[in-house]
Amino acid sequence: MEISQVRYFLAVAKELNFTRAAEQCNVTQPALSRAIKLLEDEFGGALFHRERRFTHLTELGRMVETYLEGVFENSRQAKQIAEQYVHLKKTPLRVGIMSTIAPDEIIELISSIRGHHPGVELHLCDADAPSLRRRLLEGDLEAAIYALPSNIPDEEVHSLPLFREQMVMAVHLTHRLANQRRVQVKDMSNESYIHRNNCEFAGYADAVLSEQGVTVSPVYWSDRDDWTLAMIAAGLGFGFMPEHTAKHAGVVALPITDPEFWREVNLVTVRGRRHSPAVGALVREATQKRWFGERAKALSAAE
């Protein structure tokens, strides 16, 4: 059964005249009659009593009419939704954002998408990087923006670099190290540490500190960076944070050296998966955006 056959059937059922129905459907009467005959063959019986002056539905025709009306309407709606989707008239886009990225930068990206692609409906969620990667692979997200410290290539995803930022030691302004321009990893030893549960370097940094014989004393654990900063400002301990996140009254951000820690934030999609036009719009806006005053790393490299 083809949608054109359903359309012809409904036209005849309405007009009760094959000639007028053919004109309404903009086809010849023989073509319309053949389509109706094929539909009758498929259903196993006549759908119309064909009489010169009084064409009318058979009992079988009346039985299937309501169902075929539903089929045609659903088909029309599906086509309309598809056209809106393809032409970005009304297209949902599920994006995951790493919870430790500065909100102002993401808001700028959202505003840019809204301004240039008003038909894209963004559905955002925030989580830690491993959770976002898992949801991306499972198909719950279409794209994600996150950072993972491993240097091992992830063959399951495609990563488009957006920006890099250094990790810092965030301390209270009266802390003994607050007046230094930078600190070494060994300077953290024996300090009270406020652990960020969503830290990008969880597990990775521990090994580096252990190699240098550095031990810290976790005193608080927090899921939220704003709470972590508030505790640092209260003098409860230090934090290991991205430089652009460590902005809070009473907090000093000290770049870490020997070794340095950097995070590279990427726009991530699943390798080989066909993406919607809305994902394409996201990629364009993310690469054109000036992240923290600089153009996206991927675009800079291409130039």
Side-chain angles (χ1 to χ4, degrees), residues 17 29 32 53 81 97 112 151 153 226 244 257 270 298:
N17 183 285
Q29 183 174 330
L32 181 139
R53 297 185 179 181
I81 291 171
I97 309 292
S112 180
N151 293 323
D226 56 346
H244 294 108
T257 63
V270 177

Side-chain angles (χ1 to χ4, degrees), residues 90-293:
K90 187 178 181 183
T91 309
L93 177 60
R94 304 183 306 278
V95 181
I97 309 292
M98 187 168 63
S99 56
T100 61
I101 296 177
D104 290 348
E105 295 298 310
I106 299 303
I107 291 171
E108 285 184 4
L109 176 61
I110 294 170
S111 298
S112 180
I113 293 172
R114 180 63 179 170
H116 297 141
H117 312 278
V120 175
E121 297 180 348
L122 279 173
H123 298 252
L124 302 177
C125 75
D126 68 289
D128 60 89
S131 297
L132 293 177
R133 180 184 181 278
R134 184 188 69 252
R135 293 180 63 180
L136 187 65
L137 294 176
E138 291 174 349
D140 188 36
L141 299 173
E142 295 176 75
I145 297 176
Y146 62 74
L148 287 171
S150 175
N151 293 323
I152 301 174
D154 188 340
E155 298 298 332
E156 293 187 277
V157 302
H158 177 266
S159 298
L160 183 70
L162 298 179
F163 63 90
R164 295 176 75 239
E165 61 179 327
Q166 190 171 6
M167 302 298 289
V168 301
M169 181 180 181
V171 300
H172 184 260
L173 55 82
T174 63
H175 191 277
R176 65 180 180 86
L177 300 172
N179 293 325
Q180 296 189 195
R181 296 182 61 183
R182 59 185 61 84
V183 294
Q184 295 181 330
V185 167
K186 64 183 181 181
D187 293 326
M188 300 179 182
S189 196
N190 300 316
E191 289 285 337
S192 296
Y193 174 54
I194 300 173
H195 182 76
R196 298 162 58 237
N197 292 333
N198 295 324
C199 180
E200 305 83 343
F201 289 85
Y204 179 87
D206 294 342
V208 175
L209 268 61
S210 178
E211 288 176 1
Q212 298 207 14
V214 175
T215 59
V216 296
S217 304
V219 290
Y220 296 100
W221 287 258
S222 176
D223 287 332
R224 291 175 45 173
D225 284 350
D226 56 346
W227 288 19
T228 299
L229 287 167
M231 286 188 279
I232 295 169
L236 300 179
F238 82 91
F240 180 72
M241 314 186 74
E243 61 177 312
H244 294 108
T245 302
K247 298 184 183 300
H248 191 283
V251 173
V252 178
L254 305 171
I256 301 169
T257 63
D258 194 26
E260 295 182 354
F261 293 89
W262 290 80
R263 72 171 184 178
E264 184 173 272
V265 176
N266 301 291
L267 174 57
V268 186
T269 54
V270 177
R271 189 178 297 276
R273 180 178 294 171
R274 186 173 182 178
H275 300 300
S276 70
V279 173
L282 171 66
V283 170
R284 285 193 296 274
E285 297 304 323
T287 53
Q288 291 291 335
K289 173 178 158 46
R290 299 185 70 86
W291 294 89
F292 303 105

